[in-house]
Every structure is written in C-alpha cells, then in structure tokens.
Amino acid sequence: MKKRMISGIQSSGTITLGNYIGAIQNFIELQNEYELFVFIADLHSITVPQERKTLQHNIRSLAALYLACGLDPEKVTIFIQSEVPQHTQLSWILECSTYMGELERMTQFKDKSRSQADSNMNASIGVGLFTYPALMAADILLYDATFVPVGEDQKQHLELTRNLAQRFNNKHGDTFIVPEPIIPTAGARIMSLTDPTRKMSKSDPNQKSFISLLDPLPTIAKKIKSAVTDSDGVIAFDPENKPGLSNLLTIYSVLTKRSIADIVLEYTGCGYGKFKGDLADIVVQTIEPIQQRYQTIYNSELLDNVLDAGAQNAQRLANRKLTKVQNKVGLGRKRK
Ligand code: AMP
Ligand code: TRP
C-alpha cells in the first residue's frame, strides 16, 4: 500500500515562486509514489485580517493553480480545509493538550504578530494566530499521514505536531501516526528578491520582493533582473556573504535541475547582467505554461467537481479518525 502524505498552502495571496519551489514542485514529483492529499488552508489564512471577496478569489485561484502546476486530480485528493469541518473539531481537542509555552516559542507566530503590530500600533492580534499550530497538527493527524512535504519554515510546526501526536498516544493509546516532514534539499527557503536575508513571502507588502505565479511575464523578468545582489561582480555560491546572488543561483539550479557548481562554472567571468537575463528567461519559461492553463481551469466546472470529490473523500477519512478520538477522550455520550 502507498504511504500517505498531506500538505497545504494558505490562501492569503497568489502563491510565489518560493511556494512553487519549496512545496508544489515536490507535490508533483511525489504524487505518483504516495497517496497524496493537498488542501487549501483557508482557515489558516483568516488568522490575519482578510477581505471577503479577495479571500474567495484566492481560495479558488489556489485550487486552479494546483491543477495548472500539474497536480493530477485522478491521483491526488485536493480539497478546501473549511469544507471538512473535522479539522476545526480535532484542532479544539488538540488545543486542550497544547501548552501555552509551546505556542509562545513558534517563530512564525512571533514574526507575524510583530509585523501586524508594526503595521498598526493599535492592532489586536487574534487568538487564532497563536493557536494556529494546533490546527495545523489537526490537518495532518486526521489523515494518518506518514510524511508532510513542506518548506524549511514549517519544520517547527511539524515538530509540535509530532509532540502532540505522541502526547495523545501516550495518554490514550495508539491513535495517531507520528508524521515526518519532507523538506527539499535545495530550494527549501527561497529568499526575498529585495532583502535576501528574509524568506520570499506572498504577504510581503513590497511587490518587488516576490514573484507571484500570476504576475505578468514581463514583470517577472523585470523583478529577476532588478533583484538585489552585491557589487563585487563575481559569480559564486556563498549564502553568508552573497545572499542575493546565492538565492538566484538556487532558483536557477532547482528550475533547471542542474548543480550549482555546474552553473557557477558556466558563468565564471560573466557579469551579473548576463546571468540574471538568462535566469529571467528560465523563470518565465517555467511560469508561462502554468498561466496558460490557469485561466481555463479557474472558470471551469471541472474545478468544482474536483473540489467536491476531494472534500467528500477527505471527510470520509477525517470523520473516522475524529470519531475514534472523541471516543478515546470520552466526549459525547455512550448509548444505552
Ligand atoms: P504558505 O505560503 O506559508 O502557506 O506556505 C506554503 C508552503 O510553501 C509551505 O510548505 C512553505 O514551507 C512553503 N514556502 C513558503 N514560502 C517559501 C519560500 N520562500 N521558500 C521555500 N518554500 C516556501
Ligand atoms: N502552516 C502552513 C504554512 O503556513 C500551511 C499549512 C497548514 C500546512 N496546514 C498544513 C502545511 C498541514 C502542511 C500540512 O505554510
């Protein structure tokens, strides 16, 4: 039997080249070997303020992009998180055995709550932003997933998921599979194009810092060509001292499946201009066919059918697990 795998992406903006390289590209490769579940984490995206119409569009858009990037609905269960209510139900149960201290240590919470507070001095940080990792644990544990393909930034959340699973199993007997992250060896952390010391993020207010999969192609080329590098003009991979150029070399390497050493050799003696120009072409060639498929899929009935079938399949499994958990905890009523 194939091992099961699950992953999700938040619907909080159009996905970036970082999401594509750190997550989606791997889903595509893994879909033949594993029983894969991929969802749209819309409940996670409301941990920060969202506008209704934009959120609705982003959810459908992410689903369409999954298909346009090459996820095959014949092989993969694709669904929307909020359409499977068991996620929130299990997350409450897990929250009750998650410690405050564990959540306080989460770096994504620290970063996001800080940036929300920065953008509005009086901002109130929602409790959901704090408890979010328990929802993520529920997303995973409901499906008996053995592996979770994610980028580097999710490692800490996965560690918590493992602890919560073990804690529950110790107290109530074997219930959950303790999952393992699968983090790509290259491209697990694609950096911002304007500040290469920070990760590329779709929620960055500076549009030039990230490449969205739906940016117009000339804009994509322009963003690559104007990416921040350094002034010594030497093509070399040195993330410490040359973070900008090293990030571009990583992107080049993952998209062409060539080794970094090989690429450095090819461009030795060339200026950054030639290297960036070639990379811009490579990125555009990767994204162009995705954009061509995207529009048709976004407006199609096929997309609704895929999401309906996905929700149905996910609910079936999730319900079985949730009932077991509720029973072990002693919730509800025992019939006479
Ligand atoms: P998010 O956009 O935060 O929902 O992330 C969805 C997936 O993309 C997760 O597996 C992340 O680890 C991955 N990801 C997000 N940003 C990057 C990045 N800059 N580089 C590599 N992977 C990323
Ligand atoms: N928290 C993840 C992120 O911000 C998205 C996510 C939510 C996820 N639930 C998940 C990823 C379950 C893997 C498995 O990137």
Side-chain angles (χ1 to χ4, degrees):
M1 224 173 70
K2 284 183 180 172
K3 290 236 161 91
R4 197 172 289 151
M5 209 175 235
I6 188 156
S7 197
I9 297 184
Q10 296 192 47
S11 46
S12 44
T14 304
I15 50 175
T16 67
L17 189 64
N19 293 128
Y20 180 75
I21 292 175
I24 298 195
Q25 217 185 20
N26 303 309
F27 303 165
I28 314 289
E29 281 172 17
L30 295 163
Q31 66 182 340
N32 296 315
E33 289 164 59
Y34 294 89
E35 186 190 354
L36 184 61
F37 284 63
V38 174
F39 65 97
I40 294 129
D42 58 343
L43 294 170
H44 279 270
S45 44
I46 61 165
T47 53
V48 296
Q50 298 288 337
E51 201 271 317
R52 173 174 175 263
K53 282 265 182 286
T54 315
L55 180 60
Q56 282 173 338
H57 165 73
N58 285 341
I59 292 169
R60 196 173 175 91
S61 168
L62 179 52
L65 276 170
Y66 278 153
L67 298 186
C69 288
L71 278 184
D72 178 354
E74 297 285 321
K75 297 179 185 152
V76 185
T77 298
I78 302 171
F79 68 96
I80 297 174
Q81 186 186 29
S82 66
E83 293 184 358
V84 183
Q86 290 83 0
H87 289 240
T88 18
Q89 290 175 280
L90 179 61
S91 108
W92 174 255
I93 298 174
L94 293 176
E95 269 174 46
C96 293
S97 62
T98 306
Y99 308 139
M100 297 286 289
E102 285 175 316
L103 296 178
E104 278 160 3
R105 278 199 294 278
M106 296 290 130
T107 50
Q108 191 173 44
F109 169 71
K110 288 195 252 181
D111 288 350
K112 284 201 177 182
S113 52
R114 200 178 306 127
S115 67
Q116 261 203 79
D118 286 350
S119 60
N120 172 1
M121 290 308 284
N122 299 317
S124 322
I125 313 288
V127 172
L129 191 63
F130 186 64
T131 58
Y132 152 131
L135 176 59
M136 176 156 166
D139 298 337
I140 297 165
L141 300 179
L142 273 177
Y143 298 97
D144 284 333
T146 310
F147 298 114
V148 185
V150 280
E152 183 76 40
D153 59 334
Q154 297 303 313
K155 216 169 150 182
Q156 200 185 23
H157 292 154
L158 249 296
E159 204 46 54
L160 177 72
T161 303
R162 290 168 58 82
N163 290 340
L164 293 180
Q166 276 156 349
R167 189 170 301 158
F168 194 96
N169 289 349
N170 288 342
K171 181 153 184 212
H172 303 283
D174 265 359
T175 311
F176 295 127
I177 290 195
V178 181
E180 279 176 41
I182 295 205
I183 296 171
T185 41
R189 197 170 157 80
I190 298 298
M191 310 309 281
S192 151
L193 298 177
T194 49
D195 175 2
T197 60
R198 297 163 53 139
K199 79 160 187 171
M200 181 183 284
S201 165
K202 52 178 140 49
S203 46
D204 195 316
N206 183 354
Q207 297 282 320
K208 287 191 185 146
S209 72
F210 61 87
I211 287 178
S212 144
L213 289 200
L214 297 178
D215 274 342
L217 299 174
T219 309
I220 293 177
K222 213 151 104 199
K223 284 183 182 177
I224 294 279
K225 287 179 190 162
S226 57
V228 168
T229 43
D230 51 72
S231 53
D232 76 7
V234 180
I235 303 271
F237 186 74
D238 179 355
E240 188 88 347
N241 300 306
K242 297 164 76 72
L245 192 73
S246 303
N247 187 39
L248 298 182
L249 279 165
T250 301
I251 297 173
Y252 195 124
S253 163
V254 232
L255 294 184
T256 57
K257 299 201 167 28
R258 284 175 57 189
S259 74
I260 290 186
D262 191 28
I263 301 161
V264 169
L265 204 64
E266 180 184 336
Y267 288 93
T268 300
C270 292
Y272 291 171
K274 158 94 176 115
F275 169 71
K276 283 179 170 177
D278 289 356
L279 177 59
D281 289 345
I282 290 164
V283 176
V284 165
Q285 278 159 25
T286 306
I287 295 181
E288 192 174 19
I290 297 175
Q291 292 192 353
Q292 282 166 354
R293 290 189 287 267
Y294 168 81
Q295 210 55 47
T296 326
I297 299 172
Y298 184 95
N299 292 311
S300 72
E301 212 177 302
L302 166 88
L303 185 58
D304 289 303
N305 295 340
V306 165
L307 294 171
D308 284 345
Q312 212 175 20
N313 191 35
Q315 277 169 21
R316 191 174 51 82
L317 289 174
N319 202 40
R320 213 188 292 158
K321 182 61 78 179
L322 180 69
T323 306
K324 196 168 165 188
V325 170
Q326 286 174 328
N327 195 13
K328 291 204 170 190
V329 173
L331 292 167
R333 147 175 62 123
K334 230 183 155 84
R335 287 195 172 272
K336 290 289 170 210

